[in-house]
Amino acid sequence: VSGTPLSRTTNDNNNVAKIIPNARVHITTHNLDRGDALAVPVSLDSKNTTSSSRFVNPRSLQLLSDKRRRERMFRIKQSHLENKYYHLWIKQVFGRVSPHVAREYHRLKCLHGYFATWRIDWWYTCREWKLEIRADCSYKYKLYSRYFILWLEYVRDRRVG
């Protein structure tokens, strides 16, 4: 017995007092099959003597647990059926494509759109800027080389002339 409030013991009050310290315990033997006693702690305060005594019938505890078990099984069956018919309803309403697949498709299409917009923006801000700088450098190089060639012709003409 692991210190639970309701514990089966023999007719020994001391045994229960060792399991639950400072507990006033009533021992009952009525309505039990084997004749063993059921210890029911009335209060955990040993000074309080005015509390009413309670006797618990173990058969009623078993009936209570059976009822709870039946209720739990009923709730499990009910939730299973709700789940089953919910998915059937989704198939009837949405056809072959489930809402999850449709949402995922929409999300991917939005991502493609965002990526395309970002790529255009990146092209104008980064790649085009690099190409413009490259073109400016190439153009300046061609201009400087032409100026240099023209200057060489000018110097040659001056020497001859």
Side-chain angles (χ1 to χ4, degrees), residues 75-155:
R75 276 188 261 127
I76 289 172
K77 287 177 186 175
Q78 190 176 7
S79 82
H80 173 71
L81 288 175
E82 287 170 357
N83 217 1
K84 174 185 170 184
Y85 286 110
Y86 171 72
H87 288 293
L88 287 174
W89 174 79
I90 283 179
K91 276 189 179 178
Q92 289 294 328
V93 171
F94 297 104
R96 289 185 181 179
V97 180
S98 68
H100 169 71
V101 174
R103 276 192 296 268
E104 190 65 24
Y105 179 78
H106 176 71
R107 190 182 69 81
L108 284 175
K109 284 298 178 184
C110 288
L111 276 177
H112 281 288
Y114 298 150
F115 184 71
T117 306
W118 173 82
R119 188 170 180 192
I120 291 169
D121 189 40
W122 168 82
W123 176 263
Y124 285 122
T125 55
C126 298
R127 189 72 176 150
E128 191 174 299
W129 178 81
K130 288 178 186 177
L131 291 175
E132 282 180 12
I133 296 295
R134 206 173 181 184
D136 287 344
C137 290
S138 175
Y139 181 68
K140 283 180 185 178
Y141 176 75
K142 285 183 181 179
L143 279 180
Y144 293 154
S145 64
R146 280 188 189 160
Y147 291 148
F148 185 69
I149 289 171
L150 288 173
W151 179 74
L152 285 177
E153 288 178 7
Y154 172 75
V155 170

Side-chain angles (χ1 to χ4, degrees), residues 19-113:
I19 296 171
I20 307 172
N22 298 330
R24 287 189 316 113
V25 180
H26 292 285
I27 302 297
T28 178
T29 56
H30 71 283
N31 293 331
L32 294 176
D33 293 336
R34 297 186 198 113
D36 53 350
L38 179 70
V40 181
V42 176
S43 76
L44 294 177
D45 185 16
S46 60
K47 295 176 184 173
N48 186 5
T49 57
T50 60
S51 65
S52 63
S53 62
R54 295 181 326 180
F55 294 106
V56 178
N57 183 354
R59 180 84 59 199
S60 66
L61 287 177
Q62 184 179 4
L63 291 175
L64 232 163
S65 67
D66 286 346
K67 183 180 178 186
R68 286 185 187 142
R69 191 178 314 122
R70 281 194 306 268
E71 288 173 357
R72 177 76 179 133
M73 288 303 296
F74 176 75
R75 276 188 261 127
I76 289 172
K77 287 177 186 175
Q78 190 176 7
S79 82
H80 173 71
L81 288 175
E82 287 170 357
N83 217 1
K84 174 185 170 184
Y85 286 110
Y86 171 72
H87 288 293
L88 287 174
W89 174 79
I90 283 179
K91 276 189 179 178
Q92 289 294 328
V93 171
F94 297 104
R96 289 185 181 179
V97 180
S98 68
H100 169 71
V101 174
R103 276 192 296 268
E104 190 65 24
Y105 179 78
H106 176 71
R107 190 182 69 81
L108 284 175
K109 284 298 178 184
C110 288
L111 276 177
H112 281 288

